[in-house]
Structures are given as C-alpha cells and as structure tokens.
Amino acid sequence: MQNLGIAITGSGSAVPETFLNNQGMTELVDTSDEWITTRTGIRQRYLASCHESLTQIASAAAKQAMAMAGITAQEIDLILLATSTPDDLFGSACQIQGELGATRAVAFDLTAACSGFVFGMVTAAQYIRTGVFQNVLLIGADILSRWVDWQDRRTCVLFGDGAGAVVLQANQSDRLLGFELKSDGTQNSNLNLTYVPQCQQLTADLAVSTGNFQFISMNGKEVYKFAVQKVPEIIDKALFRAQLTVEDIDWLLLHQANQRILDAVAQRLKIPEQKVISNLASYGNTSAASIPLALDEAVREGKIQNNHIIAASGFGAGLTWGSVIFQWGK
Ligand code: ACO
C-alpha cells in the first residue's frame, strides 16, 4: 500500500553572519532599546550583508534539514521556497536546487509573506497525499532588510533576515493533523511592498510601466488588531479539523512578529506561557523564515520531541493567515 500520510522528519536553519542590536538601531533612527524591547520583545536581529544571498542562507538551512532527515539531495522530489524576497524575481527555488544538486527535484517559489511557511506546508502535503511526491524540501527564507526603509523607525526595528527548512516525507501515519488557510485582499493596504509604475512612452499609443518596488509599508496598529483577533480563531478551526482541543497542544509556535502578539494569542487560547515558543528577542521578525527557524531551534534544544503536537500559525501581508497542527517526527 502506498504511504499517503505526511511526516516532518528534519529541520534546519541559518542566519546571516552579522547582527545588529537595539543599541545599534539608535545610531540609525530616533529610537531606544527600551522602546523596542517593551513594544516588541526584540533585542537584536541578523542582517544580510550585501555579499550574502537568499540562496546561500536558504541552502544552508536546507542542508541541515536533509541531514537530520537522513536524506540525500538526489532523493528530493520537490523544493518549495516560501519567500517574498527572492534573489531573482522569476524565483530562487531553482537556484537552491542547483546549489544543493537536487537534480531530480522540481522547484518553485511560493509567495505568502509571513504566512508562507504554513501555506507551503499545506501545499507540500497535497503532493504527498495524492501520491505524486514522496520527499519534499520546504524552505521559508527572507531577506527583508533589502526592502526596509532604514529611515522609518516604525518598521526598520522590527525585521531580521534568516532561513528555516523542513523535510516532509510520505509516511504510513499522517502527522499533519489539521489545517486552515485564509486570505483577505481588501486589507492589503495595511501591509505591503508595492510596485509603483512609472510610465514610459514606447509608441504614440502605448506607455508601458518601468517602475520600482517601494519600501515595506505597514499600519502597525491594524496589523496588530488583525493578528490578535484572527490567529486564535484560525488555530481553533485547525484544531477542530484535527479533532483536538487546546489541551492537546504541546507547543504553540506562532510567526515571530511581536512578543505582545504571542502573549495575547496565548492568553486568548488559554495556553500557558511555558508552551509558547519564542525566539524573536534574538532574530526579530524574519517573515517566512520565522516559524521554521524557531521550530529548528526548539528541536535542537530538545524542547520539541518525537510525537509532540505543535499548533503553528503564520500571519502577515496579503493579508494572509493560516494554521497547521502537526506531530513532530516519524
Ligand atoms: N522607536 C521609538 N518610537 C517609535 C518607534 C520606534 N522604533 N516606532 C514608532 N514610534 C513612536 C511612534 O512614532 C508613535 O509616536 P507618536 O505617538 O508621537 O506619534 C508612538 O511610538 C506609538 O506608535 P505606534 O505605531 O502607535 O506604536 P504601537 O504601540 O502600535 O507599536 C508596533 C508599533 C510594534 C509596530 C505594533 O503596532 C505591532 O507590533 N504591530 C504588528 C506588526 C506585525 O505583527 N507585523 C507582522 C506582519 S509582518 C509581515 O507580514 C511582513
């Protein structure tokens, strides 16, 4: 009989070499360690130098995940790269495939901002459940520092760069227990990284657009309200689909956007703080990388163990949000 269940068998993560702490931020904008720490919980963030690429950090995370899963690059059937900041606007998944030597794998990018990893996990699951692929490498990676306005104190203190990866494998028992995904484009203006057209007259009848992407723009208060309302709702729905309750969760693993959001969501769900995974003090908001980065750290620290049940939720630009309930290991 064909294995149509899913197991998450390996994780890995990587960050750029250099970090900038809150004190360093005060040299760039009018801010303070006290403001950043109390409003967000962030103390430092890793930032890619102009010589470091997304492909490099994503490939480093992927190699660790494959090593933990005990799988070679040639065994990978599909590489999914969740990112909003590719090295190449046509996609960077193929560059990673080339770097890893995953010659059998088909590779493509998936864009869903800070929800990208959760959306990617559900996408990967569809290929495994239909029997099309057995081994999927899912990477969440972002270098948002490329798109941050370093003069805007409302956004530049929040973001960091990084990559996280997992290997999902066909398995007899299904360890992806439930999921729910949502989008609401009517709220796009609350958080975006928009292309602004600039008209270039080609002929008398035709002006094409040769514009540029602008900096990240965010209405922090609206995004905060959205997250605190929608994330508990969607976790509840995913738990319902998994036929589980909040008491069954070993770990709450949210997109690492703001400690206050983590606390508020945990409080609404009545999940004790010792079950909440948080590493944003060290990394800031790493967008699509934040969930797999925190997952990998918790696995390597021995917090997350075989058979533990994890409720993960991503939320962000789009707007998009989603939740997956899964059991770690085979
Ligand atoms: N340092 C010092 N002061 C600051 C800073 C800063 N870095 N940033 C803003 N301020 C000031 C503002 O100018 C404002 O001053 P004013 O009252 O004189 O105008 C004051 O602090 C309050 O600003 P608010 O924006 O109201 O601050 P708030 O308490 O809402 O906190 C924050 C801002 C941290 C961004 C919060 O709204 C938040 O976390 N929102 C959610 C963000 C998020 O979760 N994003 C996730 C998605 S990211 C993605 O998908 C890519």
Side-chain angles (χ1 to χ4, degrees), residues 87-313:
D87 294 329
D88 180 335
L89 209 48
F90 289 141
S92 285
C94 293
Q95 293 171 296
I96 295 166
Q97 184 239 24
E99 171 71 27
L100 298 176
T103 44
R104 284 183 51 250
V106 61
F108 63 91
D109 289 23
L110 182 155
T111 308
C114 302
S115 309
F117 183 80
V118 167
F119 279 42
M121 196 181 265
V122 175
T123 306
Q126 307 315 308
Y127 287 101
I128 294 176
R129 283 185 176 160
T130 48
V132 175
F133 294 136
Q134 271 72 56
N135 301 315
V136 182
L137 174 63
L138 168 64
I139 307 164
D142 266 310
I143 300 188
L144 278 181
S145 61
R146 291 173 175 173
W147 298 103
V148 161
D149 179 353
W150 287 102
Q151 294 179 332
D152 176 8
R153 68 178 181 171
R154 290 167 305 150
T155 53
C156 75
V157 301
L158 304 174
F159 299 105
D161 303 329
V166 294
V167 172
L168 298 106
Q169 297 190 268
N171 197 51
Q172 219 161 18
S173 74
D174 201 347
R175 319 282 275 176
L176 178 59
L177 308 172
F179 69 83
E180 184 79 17
L181 307 177
K182 293 273 182 199
S183 304
D184 180 4
T186 64
Q187 291 195 62
N188 180 265
S189 59
N190 284 330
L191 178 55
N192 55 35
L193 205 173
T194 318
Y195 173 81
V196 175
Q198 195 159 18
C199 290
Q200 186 185 337
Q201 203 74 39
L202 278 194
T203 67
D205 301 330
L206 174 65
V208 292
S209 151
T210 54
N212 286 301
F213 285 95
Q214 304 298 297
F215 294 124
I216 292 170
S217 141
M218 181 170 77
N219 181 334
K221 277 209 180 341
E222 287 305 314
V223 176
Y224 184 91
K225 278 194 283 186
F226 148 77
V228 169
Q229 188 200 342
K230 298 294 186 187
V231 173
E233 273 176 24
I234 204 156
I235 291 174
D236 264 340
K237 280 193 182 145
L239 279 170
F240 176 76
R241 292 197 188 285
Q243 299 183 316
L244 295 173
T245 66
V246 166
E247 286 73 41
D248 297 313
I249 298 173
D250 293 299
W251 299 103
L252 179 66
L253 174 52
L254 302 183
H255 166 49
Q256 306 284 301
N258 184 322
Q259 188 61 44
R260 288 194 302 163
I261 294 177
L262 268 57
D263 295 342
V265 170
Q267 208 177 3
R268 283 195 182 197
L269 289 169
K270 299 194 172 54
I271 294 176
E273 78 180 283
Q274 56 282 14
K275 287 189 173 183
V276 181
I277 292 175
S278 171
N279 71 355
L280 53 69
S282 307
Y283 301 101
N285 175 349
T286 56
S287 192
S290 90
I291 292 176
L293 189 59
L295 173 76
D296 182 51
E297 230 177 42
V299 166
R300 285 174 197 276
E301 282 170 5
K303 278 184 177 171
I304 293 180
Q305 291 170 12
N306 214 21
N307 292 330
H308 276 183
I309 293 177
I310 298 151
S313 178

